[in-house]
Amino acid sequence: MSAPQDLASRAKKRISRFRILIIGRANAGKTTILQRVCRSTENPEIYDRYGKKIDGAIIEGTAERGLHDIENEMIFKSNPGFVFHDSRGFEAGGTDELNKVKTFIAARANEKSLPDRLHAIWYCIPMDDHHRAFTAAEIGFFTCGTGSVPVIVLFTKMDALCTEAFQKLTEGGMSKDQAFDEAAEHANKMFEDMPHVKHLYNKKNTPYPPKSHVCLHEMHKLDADSSGLIEETTSALGDDVLKQLFVSTQQTNMEICMKYALKRYDVLGLVGL
């Protein structure tokens, strides 16, 4: 076994499962993102906190709503190394849900057993709903710490901005062909001018900002690229063993796996031995 593979193997033996909490409003595209990361077109299997599988008839059509229990584990057959927990977004009046999430994070961040510990949080913000302001509960999430668990914000459904940009360009007199060619660039400028990112990293508003963020495009496509999410999550992890476990578990980008494995061994001065 090669040196990088050996490190990843030892990491898996030590931890065995990488645990992620995904948070988002209704229709934020959470399940689709998890499917792309796990290379699956199927819904995940759901297990309760005691490891008992929940009946498929109950699961049907409820994946986006998280089955209303953050303790439930979502596992894809295609990649059982990942364990996902799902929370509904903090909608208007969602203080109860926020409190459940805070309690869950506090407990899981301090688990003595590494496999049971929460390793990362993906917080989804859909850009097809960008005109809607953050609710008090949503803002409240970033005013409470998550301990050593890094938060990565996922701006989902970025395609909606391209559609909006196309409409604005054509309404301004541009031909449809030209507007189609320039829509993506214009959408990026629109995003840069929006208050979302500035708000998230302004410590006056959010004392505990996310570690990073990533924009996700066309995740509805089966060949959608999730490498940006993988890289940002890996960078946000503070522990080298967790980094190696995460990149080896995700399986969707071998280039990233080798990059971080070799980087680790280069730091140790083992490359070329």
Side-chain angles (χ1 to χ4, degrees):
M1 184 179 291
S2 69
Q5 288 176 326
D6 184 57
L7 180 63
S9 177
R10 283 189 281 116
K12 282 195 174 185
K13 287 181 180 178
R14 179 183 171 195
I15 303 176
S16 75
R17 305 198 301 180
F18 194 92
R19 193 176 296 271
I20 297 174
L21 168 63
I22 186 166
I23 303 171
R25 298 173 181 174
N27 301 314
K30 293 181 293 180
T31 301
T32 301
I33 292 167
L34 302 186
Q35 287 172 328
R36 297 299 165 266
V37 170
C38 292
R39 285 187 167 179
S40 176
T41 57
E42 300 178 353
N43 280 332
E45 294 181 334
I46 310 293
Y47 296 85
D48 66 19
R49 68 186 70 191
Y50 306 108
K52 181 180 179 181
K53 187 176 179 180
I54 297 175
D55 186 84
I58 299 174
I59 297 170
E60 187 68 28
T62 63
E64 285 291 346
R65 298 194 294 275
L67 288 177
H68 312 296
D69 190 343
I70 195 172
E71 290 286 350
N72 287 340
E73 298 182 346
M74 304 167 62
I75 300 174
F76 288 87
K77 288 182 179 179
S78 60
N79 197 337
F82 273 130
V83 178
F84 299 104
H85 294 267
D86 187 6
S87 170
R88 289 171 293 180
F90 312 125
E91 314 291 340
T95 305
D96 288 344
E97 189 70 21
L98 174 59
N99 289 336
K100 289 178 183 177
V101 169
K102 289 166 63 177
T103 300
F104 174 81
I105 293 172
R108 287 285 184 167
N110 297 306
E111 278 280 358
K112 292 182 179 180
S113 171
L114 284 175
D116 293 328
R117 193 175 299 171
L118 183 64
H119 300 123
I121 299 170
W122 289 346
Y123 193 108
C124 300
I125 299 176
M127 296 312 291
D128 62 344
D129 198 19
H130 69 85
H131 295 291
R132 175 179 157 188
F134 287 115
T135 66
E138 286 173 325
I139 294 172
F141 176 79
F142 294 99
T143 62
C144 60
T146 58
S148 61
V149 185
V151 179
I152 300 91
V153 167
L154 283 54
F155 289 104
T156 68
K157 301 191 175 182
M158 290 292 292
D159 320 35
L161 286 187
C162 288
T163 301
E164 190 173 325
F166 177 83
Q167 292 174 342
K168 287 185 176 182
L169 292 172
T170 54
E171 288 171 0
M174 188 177 289
S175 69
K176 289 185 177 180
D177 288 342
Q178 186 177 357
F180 181 82
D181 292 337
E182 297 186 16
E185 182 179 352
H186 191 71
N188 288 334
K189 291 180 180 178
M190 289 170 56
F191 179 75
E192 290 172 1
D193 292 337
M194 290 176 181
H196 297 71
V197 173
K198 293 178 182 178
H199 182 91
L200 286 173
Y201 293 101
N202 183 343
K203 288 198 172 183
K204 291 182 179 179
N205 300 321
T206 55
Y208 298 94
K211 286 288 186 181
S212 63
H213 69 273
V214 62
C215 296
L216 299 179
H217 298 263
E218 300 183 326
M219 296 305 286
H220 61 283
K221 295 184 177 180
L222 295 180
D223 61 348
D225 182 13
S226 61
S227 61
L229 172 57
I230 301 304
E231 291 215 48
E232 290 298 334
T233 302
T234 307
S235 297
L237 295 170
D239 184 279
D240 284 338
V241 172
L242 285 180
K243 288 178 187 286
Q244 289 297 333
L245 176 69
F246 178 68
V247 296
S248 62
T249 299
Q250 54 86 27
Q251 298 178 359
T252 58
N253 194 314
M254 291 307 298
E255 182 179 347
I256 295 175
C257 292
M258 294 306 298
K259 171 184 173 182
Y260 281 93
L262 291 172
K263 182 178 179 181
R264 166 63 174 165
Y265 269 74
D266 188 37
V267 170
L268 294 176
L270 298 176
V271 171
L273 295 181

